[in-house]
């Protein structure tokens, strides 16, 4: 029987579906038919596979060839099926034993000369294969380290189709000619897909978490520094409002270095998203540092939350998963674009419905908004330097809607840095390392308290659990409840105050939030002084 089958993986968002690739040869006029809802790039694989097989020294069958991709109801996209199609055809032609191919998952694109090129989404594809019970995976050689991150799967990395044929047929494996020294490996170009964010600022800045970005460089701004520390310890969203040059961007850029290193599970989640987006840097198969994403204020809704033509691609909120999403000049973003963030801020994921299917991307990020108080940026309650009319100030500040700001836990007004603060000797504050140590200790207290629950940070705990299982000290929430009665806080707002109070308690080492912890949480949310020390160090 001139029939063979092997497997590959179709990606729908960051989730994979194992696809059986079947090849059937029948007598008749030589033709190549590909069925099973392939897209344009997959349809073109007919010519790539034929050229790759011939240039690899194998004979192309001169019969009627039908290749089916099952299940046929799942849309297939991309060139990652090339390797599986080629091996299924060679199995049907009895160049390879079909029984060897049945339980192997193959992922990779073929060049016309038979080289195996990497594709996007190797990690989520191998995860899907492992979940389906497959134990053997064939991937491009340069992506083998990424595939090896999945436990319990035997990974074979091949550089060419010739090598794979030799391995499967139990023949001597041919040597591939090495590339010229000093020249970049052309195969690695497939790991970075142009037009998906690599040149638009929507990529991980983990490599920039170094000594050049230290919190000690920020002069003054005690309240803002405390807010950054609380945001990092509890995963709380932050809004920084102040004039240009006050240090809003400096604080946001230093926040990722304060965040703890990602756990193994979180690293796999982040790496899977970046792999699907084509932003996984070569030589760095696992992202273990919190990503930092800072899109320009001209970003569209699709680039921010995900989407695009055909099958949706992850947006900035997903690229910032388990990291920081910094929206500088937030008031300049389109209002509909900002309001699209409401749902992922609450749920921690994005669901994008398109005619080609429904895609779900993870999006549990820490959002930092930075904005000027008015169009000229000099409006303040203390000085009269602003020349903007009151109506212009109201319109400018109204660009950030109330429902969006209600989901932000910490709101800090930043004052301009004075000459005395800037020139005073010994004006440097605590370093990033010192603050990061406190944040790590606070996270450990939080994780110990939340053991046995699906949550890992205070910002994830639902309100009903806060009111029933994680209550503050008796009488500590009285002032917050009075603010609720006066309309200063909403029901969601009082829950967020309690979450922040728990984070403050974890930072200072309290078993439960007391009145001082709640007062600082109220001050950080409303901006109204409560007569408590602002610096975390003063509360310990």
């Amino acid at each position: 029987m001139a029939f063979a089958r092997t497997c590959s993986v179709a990606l729908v968002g960051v989730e994979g579906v194992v696809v059986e690739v079947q090849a059937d040869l029948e007598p008749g006029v030589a033709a190549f038919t590909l069925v099973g809802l392939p897209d344009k790039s997959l349809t073109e694989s007919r010519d790539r596979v034929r050229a790759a097989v011939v240039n690899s020294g194998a004979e192309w069958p001169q019969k009627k060839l039908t290749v089916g991709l099952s299940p046929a109801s799942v849309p297939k996209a991309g060139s990652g099926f090339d390797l599986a199609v080629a091996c299924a055809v060679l199995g049907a032609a009895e160049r390879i034993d079909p029984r060897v191919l049945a339980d192997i998952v193959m992922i990779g694109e073929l060049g016309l000369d038979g080289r195996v090129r990497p594709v996007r989404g190797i990690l989520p594809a191998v995860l899907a294969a492992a979940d389906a019970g497959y134990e053997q995976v064939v991937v491009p050689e340069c992506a083998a380290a990424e595939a090896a991150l999945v436990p319990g799967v035997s990974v074979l990395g091949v550089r060419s189709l010739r090598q794979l044929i030799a391995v499967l047929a139990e023949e001597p494996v041919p040597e591939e000619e090495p590339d010229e020294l000093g020249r970049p490996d052309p195969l690695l170009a497939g790991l970075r897909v142009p037009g998906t964010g690599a040149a638009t600022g929507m990529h991980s800045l983990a490599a920039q978490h170094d000594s050049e970005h230290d919190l000690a460089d920020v002069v003054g701004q005690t309240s803002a520094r405390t807010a950054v520390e609380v945001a990092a310890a509890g995963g709380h969203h932050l809004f920084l409002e102040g004039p240009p040059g006050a240090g809003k961007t400096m604080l946001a850029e230093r926040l990722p270095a304060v965040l703890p290193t990602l756990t193994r599970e979180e690293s796999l989640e982040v790496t899977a998203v970046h792999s699907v987006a084509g932003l996984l840097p070569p030589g760095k198969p696992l992202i273990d540092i919190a990503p930092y994403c800072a899109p320009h204020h001209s970003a569209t809704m699709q680039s921010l939350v995900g989407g695009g033509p055909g099958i949706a691609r992850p947006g900035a909120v997903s690229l910032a998963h388990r990291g920081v999403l910094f929206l500088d000049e937030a008031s300049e973003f389109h209002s509909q674009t900002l309001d699209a963030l409401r749902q992922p801020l609450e749920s921690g994921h994005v669901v994008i419905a398109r005619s080609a299917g429904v895609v779900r991307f993870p999006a549990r990020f820490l959002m930092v908004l930075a904005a000027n108080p008015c169009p000229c940026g000099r409006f303040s309650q203390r000085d009269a330097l602003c020349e903007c009319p009151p109506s212009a100030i109201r319109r400018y500040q109204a660009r950030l809607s109330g429902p969006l700001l209600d989901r932000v836990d910490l709101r800090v007004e930043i004052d301009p840095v004075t000459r005395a603060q800037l020139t005073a000797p010994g004006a440097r504050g605590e370093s990033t390392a010192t603050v990061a140590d406190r944040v790590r200790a606070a996270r450990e207290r939080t994780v110990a308290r939340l053991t046995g629950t699906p949550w890992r940070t205070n910002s994830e705990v639902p309100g009903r659990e806060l009111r029933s299982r994680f209550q503050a000290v008796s009488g500590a929430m009285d002032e917050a409840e009075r603010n609720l009665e006066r309309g200063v806080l909403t029901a969601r707002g009082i829950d967020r105050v309690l979450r922040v109070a728990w984070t403050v308690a974890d930072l200072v080492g309290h078993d439960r939030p007391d009145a001082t912890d709640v007062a600082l949480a109220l001050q950080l949310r409303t901006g109204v002084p409560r007569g408590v020390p602002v610096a975390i160090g003063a509360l310990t």
Side-chain angles (χ1 to χ4, degrees):
M1 180 177 64
F3 175 83
R5 61 185 178 87
T6 187
C7 295
S8 190
V9 179
L11 288 178
V12 182
V14 293
E15 299 175 355
V17 178
V18 175
V19 173
E20 188 176 79
V21 181
Q22 306 168 349
D24 177 71
L25 287 175
E26 298 177 0
V29 178
F32 188 168
T33 305
L34 185 64
V35 297
L37 284 185
D39 73 338
K40 180 65 175 177
S41 61
L42 183 50
T43 303
E44 292 175 350
S45 68
R46 295 178 299 183
D47 299 320
R48 290 195 302 270
V49 169
R50 182 187 292 109
V53 168
V54 172
N55 290 328
S56 296
E59 183 179 353
W60 183 259
Q62 298 299 319
K63 295 182 180 180
K64 181 181 179 182
L65 171 62
T66 303
V67 174
L69 307 176
S70 179
S73 59
V74 177
K76 289 85 175 177
S79 55
F81 295 88
D82 290 3
L83 199 58
V85 171
C87 288
V89 172
L90 293 174
E94 298 183 351
R95 175 65 178 84
I96 303 174
D97 187 353
R99 293 172 295 180
V100 177
L101 302 173
D103 296 325
I104 301 178
V105 175
M106 302 184 182
I107 307 164
E109 175 186 332
L110 287 175
L112 299 183
D113 56 354
R115 291 182 302 172
V116 182
R117 303 181 64 92
V119 293
R120 295 181 297 109
I122 290 290
L123 177 59
V126 177
L127 284 170
D131 291 341
Y134 290 88
E135 298 178 353
Q136 292 182 311
V137 177
V138 178
V139 298
E141 182 183 58
C142 52
E146 180 183 349
L149 296 173
V150 182
V153 176
S154 175
V155 177
L156 173 62
V158 294
R159 194 170 183 85
S160 68
L161 181 59
R162 286 195 311 151
Q163 289 183 338
L164 180 58
I165 294 174
V167 170
L168 296 177
E170 297 182 351
E171 300 172 353
V173 180
E175 293 286 340
E176 293 291 339
E177 296 183 4
D179 294 325
E180 296 182 21
L181 295 177
R183 296 187 61 184
D185 189 345
L187 295 182
L188 296 179
L191 294 176
R192 299 299 293 262
V193 180
T196 58
T200 59
M202 297 185 186
H203 58 285
S204 173
L205 297 184
Q208 298 186 12
H209 296 175
D210 50 27
S211 58
E212 296 181 2
H213 294 79
D214 200 298
L215 270 175
D217 300 332
V218 181
V219 178
Q221 310 299 358
T222 304
S223 297
R225 290 171 59 94
T226 299
V228 167
E229 183 175 348
V230 172
H236 305 289
H237 306 303
L238 174 62
F239 177 36
L240 301 173
E241 185 179 36
K248 301 186 295 295
T249 303
M250 289 182 65
L251 287 163
E253 288 177 344
R254 285 151 178 79
L255 177 56
V258 180
L259 293 172
T261 304
L262 300 178
T263 64
R264 176 74 176 185
E265 180 182 355
E266 293 170 344
S267 296
L268 290 177
E269 292 176 1
V270 173
T271 303
V273 174
H274 284 245
S275 178
V276 168
L279 299 179
L280 194 63
K284 181 71 173 176
L286 184 68
I287 298 177
D288 57 357
I289 301 178
Y292 174 85
C293 213
H296 191 260
H297 61 259
S298 61
T300 62
M301 185 184 302
Q302 288 75 17
S303 66
L304 200 60
V305 301
I311 297 180
R313 297 282 182 88
V317 297
S318 298
L319 297 179
H321 179 60
R322 302 295 180 184
V324 177
L325 176 66
F326 177 45
L327 303 182
D328 198 7
E329 305 296 343
S331 299
E332 301 296 335
F333 279 81
H334 196 280
S335 59
Q336 291 183 349
T337 301
L338 288 178
D339 286 338
L341 298 176
R342 298 184 196 175
Q343 183 259 343
L345 286 175
E346 288 289 325
S347 62
H349 61 264
V350 175
V351 178
I352 303 171
R354 295 289 187 270
S355 59
V358 179
V359 177
R360 184 181 186 271
F361 292 114
R364 189 166 295 283
F365 55 91
L366 195 164
M367 182 180 67
V368 180
L369 301 173
N372 296 326
C374 68
C376 76
R378 295 179 295 177
F379 175 75
S380 173
Q381 300 291 344
R382 301 174 180 84
D383 303 317
L385 300 176
C386 177
E387 298 179 354
C388 301
S391 58
I393 297 175
R394 286 195 299 270
R395 284 196 303 269
Y396 191 80
Q397 295 181 349
R399 293 181 180 180
L400 300 177
S401 65
L404 176 65
L405 291 180
D406 194 42
R407 289 167 167 81
V408 178
D409 301 339
L410 311 171
R411 308 174 192 174
V412 179
E413 183 176 345
I414 297 181
D415 297 325
V417 179
T418 64
R419 177 183 177 183
Q421 291 175 324
L422 199 59
T423 59
R428 291 171 62 88
E430 292 179 314
S431 66
T432 295
T434 302
V435 176
D437 288 341
R438 279 204 302 266
V439 169
R440 183 170 55 254
R443 286 281 185 112
E444 291 173 356
R445 294 189 188 99
T446 305
V447 171
R449 184 177 63 254
L450 298 179
T451 301
T453 70
W455 317 297
R456 295 185 58 85
T457 60
N458 290 320
S459 62
E460 300 175 15
V461 182
R464 65 180 183 278
E465 299 292 336
L466 288 170
R467 293 185 293 271
S468 59
R469 296 173 56 184
F470 304 106
Q471 297 179 353
V473 173
S474 178
M477 293 293 293
D478 289 347
E479 182 63 26
E481 292 169 358
R482 284 192 288 268
N483 281 301
L484 175 63
E485 293 176 352
R486 293 196 296 266
V488 177
L489 293 176
T490 61
R492 178 192 286 122
I494 198 169
D495 287 343
R496 292 184 177 273
V497 167
L498 184 53
R499 292 190 185 106
V500 174
W502 268 109
T503 301
V504 175
D506 289 334
L507 283 168
V508 301
H510 295 165
D511 293 334
R512 296 170 63 190
D514 57 18
T516 304
D517 300 331
V518 175
L520 180 56
L522 277 170
Q523 179 171 330
L524 291 175
R525 180 170 180 84
T526 63
V528 178
R530 305 286 173 170
V532 295
V534 178
I536 293 296
L539 295 175
T540 55

